[in-house]
Amino acid sequence: MKVSLNWLRELVELPPTVPALVDLLTMAGVEVEGIAKAYPFRELAKAPQGLVQDEVAGKRILVVHELKSGTTRALLCEQATGRLDFEADAEPEMLRETGSGSRFTRFGRAVDGPLKNLQLPLVNSLQAEWYGWYALHPQTDLFSVGSP
């Protein structure tokens, strides 16, 4: 079914442009142990260097949003030694684990420091439009920068 954006604008407030509307609807969905959380791209773009540390189903995760390509991945940040905390590194394509000082690629591979060669596991995630994710996960939580 096709719907005119002009007609839709008469019913609800929409962003002024189609790219802005797509931005509003596009998100990354993460599922951990049956608990779902949605990360809208517009919110991920507000996070420093597209990095969000969060907790889903009691598990520490790192959501990495690539601002240039619009791709997103989620990594599990728990190891036998405990939870790992990350910050952006001085080198743009790298992350620094704050406890050990080890540097990681944005794909979760430690390249130096005490954790060298450690690969963080990927968390089940999917890039989707909001309505598609919500249809599969009606009990999903919604991430917003600055919210607990």
Side-chain angles (χ1 to χ4, degrees):
M1 177 170 105
K2 291 185 179 184
V3 175
S4 160
L5 282 178
N6 290 331
W7 174 79
L8 196 54
R9 281 191 173 96
E10 292 175 15
L11 303 173
V12 295
E13 186 176 337
L14 294 176
T17 66
V18 171
L21 178 60
V22 169
D23 231 18
L24 180 68
L25 296 175
T26 307
M27 43 73 62
V30 172
E31 185 177 8
V32 178
E33 296 179 1
I35 304 297
K37 192 158 189 179
Y39 296 83
F41 281 12
R42 71 176 185 279
E43 292 296 313
L44 291 172
K46 296 176 191 176
Q49 292 192 18
L51 302 175
V52 171
Q53 293 185 98
D54 202 4
E55 194 169 302
V56 178
K59 303 285 184 187
R60 179 78 159 175
I61 66 167
L62 176 67
V63 179
V64 181
H65 180 65
E66 304 297 346
L67 300 173
K68 290 179 184 175
S69 66
T71 58
T72 304
R73 74 194 64 78
L75 303 163
L76 182 64
C77 298
E78 294 189 359
Q79 301 301 312
T81 57
R83 292 179 172 205
L84 304 177
D85 291 308
F86 289 90
E87 64 186 8
D89 188 69
E91 193 176 330
E93 297 303 315
M94 302 299 288
L95 310 169
R96 181 168 304 279
E97 198 281 314
T98 58
S100 69
S102 294
R103 290 182 331 129
F104 282 71
T105 67
R106 290 175 68 93
F107 290 91
R109 179 81 164 170
V111 296
D112 63 22
L115 301 176
K116 185 176 181 177
N117 295 325
L118 176 67
Q119 176 65 54
L120 299 176
L122 288 169
V123 174
N124 288 333
S125 61
L126 173 71
Q127 290 185 197
E129 291 182 347
W130 170 251
Y131 56 85
W133 178 259
Y134 185 77
L136 294 173
H137 302 90
Q139 301 300 319
T140 196
D141 288 329
L142 185 62
F143 171 80
S144 178
V145 170
S147 67

